[in-house]
Amino acid sequence: MAMGQAQTILVVEDDLAIQSLIIDLLAEENYNVRAAGDGQDALTLLQGWRPDLIILDQVMPRMDGTALRTALQHCSILAQIPVILVSAMRDLLIQEQDRTVAAIITKPFDLDQFLCIVRQVLATDVAARQPACTPRTADPTQVVAPNPT
C-alpha cells in the first residue's frame, strides 16, 4: 500500500442489508471497500485486485466462506490477505477457530467493536509486512533489512 492511500477491504456477504451496513461503516472510516455476494464473485474480483483485508461471511450460496478460504490458500499472494470471518452460526465458528483466519466475529455484532477488530487486524498485517531494520555500521542512519532465515 502506497503512503497516503486508503486501505482496501473486500466484503463478502450475501445478505444485502448487512453488506450495505458494513460498506457504509467502513467507507465512513475512509476505507476503500468493494463487495461480493458470495465466494465465487469474490474470486472474480480477486483476479485483478488484492485488498488489504477480506471480511467474509461463512454461509453463502454457490461458494461459502470455507470454500473461499481454501481457494485463497492455493495462491501464495491471496493466502497472505488477512481474513475476518463473520457469521451468526456460533457453533460453526467454534469449529473454524483452527482455520487460517485473523479474527472471528459473531452476528449480531457491535459496530464499534467491529471497527476495532478491523483496525487491529489491518495494523497487525501492516506491521508484519514491515521489514525489521538493524544497524549495519555504527552510523544509525544506515540500516539494512535482516536476512530471512
Side-chain angles (χ1 to χ4, degrees), residues 56-76:
L56 177 62
D57 184 23
Q58 177 59 35
V59 179
M60 297 176 291
R62 291 199 307 167
M63 180 183 278
D64 68 10
T66 301
L68 178 58
R69 287 194 335 273
T70 299
L72 295 175
Q73 294 305 308
H74 292 312
C75 174
S76 61

Side-chain angles (χ1 to χ4, degrees), residues 8-144:
T8 58
I9 300 175
L10 173 59
V11 176
V12 187
E13 170 64 63
D14 64 317
D15 183 317
L16 295 180
I18 294 173
Q19 185 189 92
S20 180
L21 172 73
I22 293 172
I23 290 169
D24 291 347
L25 182 66
L26 295 171
E28 286 177 16
E29 296 293 315
N30 296 316
Y31 292 107
N32 180 0
V33 186
R34 291 189 187 176
D38 61 36
Q40 198 68 41
D41 292 342
L43 283 177
T44 300
L45 277 174
L46 291 168
Q47 287 177 0
W49 177 63
R50 185 188 181 274
D52 296 303
L53 173 66
I54 297 172
I55 297 174
L56 177 62
D57 184 23
Q58 177 59 35
V59 179
M60 297 176 291
R62 291 199 307 167
M63 180 183 278
D64 68 10
T66 301
L68 178 58
R69 287 194 335 273
T70 299
L72 295 175
Q73 294 305 308
H74 292 312
C75 174
S76 61
I77 293 172
L78 297 179
Q80 296 173 25
I81 303 170
V83 174
I84 296 176
L85 186 62
V86 181
S87 183
M89 300 182 67
R90 295 177 199 277
D91 293 342
L92 182 62
L93 291 175
I94 291 169
Q95 295 171 5
E96 294 295 326
Q97 284 182 345
D98 64 330
R99 298 297 211 126
T100 55
V101 293
I104 297 173
I105 300 174
T106 57
K107 296 177 191 174
F109 50 81
D110 176 81
L111 300 180
D112 291 329
Q113 184 180 16
F114 178 86
L115 283 174
C116 182
I117 292 169
V118 167
R119 286 186 202 109
Q120 287 175 342
V121 169
L122 285 168
T124 300
D125 185 57
V126 168
R129 287 187 276 137
Q130 297 297 320
C133 295
T134 55
R136 175 172 42 182
T137 66
D139 182 355
T141 63
Q142 296 182 355
V143 294
V144 296

